[in-house]
Amino acid sequence: ALCAASAMARVAVADTIYLTDGRKLEGTAIEHGDTVTLQTPIGSMDFPKAKVLRIEKGLSPTAEYPLRLKKLGASPALDQRLALARWCKEKKIFKEMRAEYEAVMALDPDHIEAREALGYVQQDGRWMTRDEAMTAQGFVRYKNEWIPKAEKERREAEDRVHVLLMKAVGHDAKV
């Protein structure tokens, strides 16, 4: 139980360390001896204390988000949700950002910033996903790229010929 609480504390804390070279880094700062270890989601880094100007203790954006959301009250206005969505984007907490932009769209289905942040484009006067827009323009997905349907058919025919040629010379070929 203590280990779980310790792990949760690490997730919720976002310390900021300021280094003598001008860098500013966020994570969980742990001081030990002449060293400061900064733990982040992608790993940890050690710095000599002499290279650390100061350490500011704080909450991580993920831990701060529900507090900010609660402050908005039971029925937040569009501008409040939009401000929170922008804050989430700035802090790179994308799941929460998505939820806030969706809340903005619930209040204003044609809100341009929210739609664009969620990957929508406007085509022929209506909002659609980028995939829907590409399909509407006659493009199809082929090997992870959008190409015209005729080009896909040409490439598939080329691939079939390649496989037949490889088999003819005795090689196993896969497309």
Side-chain angles (χ1 to χ4, degrees):
L2 185 57
C3 289
S6 175
M8 289 300 290
R10 275 193 218 120
V11 170
V13 176
D15 302 326
T16 304
I17 66 168
Y18 295 84
L19 302 174
T20 56
D21 65 7
R23 289 185 292 164
K24 176 177 106 171
L25 305 168
E26 289 188 357
T28 302
I30 302 167
E31 297 180 63
H32 44 92
D34 292 337
T35 305
V36 175
T37 299
L38 184 69
Q39 295 177 338
T40 71
I42 59 170
S44 63
M45 299 171 271
D46 291 327
F47 300 95
K49 266 192 181 172
K51 299 282 184 184
V52 177
L53 289 174
R54 72 181 186 279
I55 299 171
E56 291 179 2
K57 299 289 185 180
L59 286 177
S60 72
T62 305
E64 189 176 341
Y65 168 76
L67 302 175
R68 286 177 173 256
L69 181 59
K70 188 175 182 178
K71 280 184 186 176
L72 299 184
S75 298
L78 184 141
D79 63 326
Q80 293 174 303
R81 295 309 282 258
L82 185 59
L84 186 53
R86 289 172 177 161
W87 178 84
C88 292
K89 183 178 181 179
E90 174 190 319
K91 299 298 181 183
K92 295 178 174 52
I93 52 172
F94 299 112
K95 178 179 152 196
E96 293 84 351
M97 178 199 77
R98 181 170 196 76
E100 290 308 315
Y101 277 125
E102 286 172 352
V104 168
M105 282 181 14
L107 297 168
D108 178 2
D110 289 322
H111 194 277
I112 293 171
E113 180 182 336
R115 286 281 182 175
E116 289 176 349
L118 295 174
Y120 288 88
V121 294
Q122 202 167 32
Q123 185 170 311
D124 300 326
R126 66 184 194 97
W127 289 104
M128 57 184 70
T129 65
R130 285 189 178 90
D131 286 358
E132 290 168 336
M134 293 302 285
T135 301
Q137 293 173 37
F139 289 88
V140 294
R141 271 238 189 261
Y142 181 73
K143 295 187 178 179
N144 216 21
E145 68 177 310
W146 287 101
I147 59 175
K149 188 176 182 182
E151 175 67 11
K152 177 186 178 217
E153 291 166 359
R154 185 192 67 73
R155 289 185 187 183
E156 286 175 334
E158 209 173 72
D159 289 343
R160 285 190 299 273
V161 168
H162 176 75
V163 168
L164 290 172
L165 287 171
M166 293 304 285
K167 284 183 179 179
V169 295
H171 295 310
D172 285 335
K174 294 179 184 170
V175 179

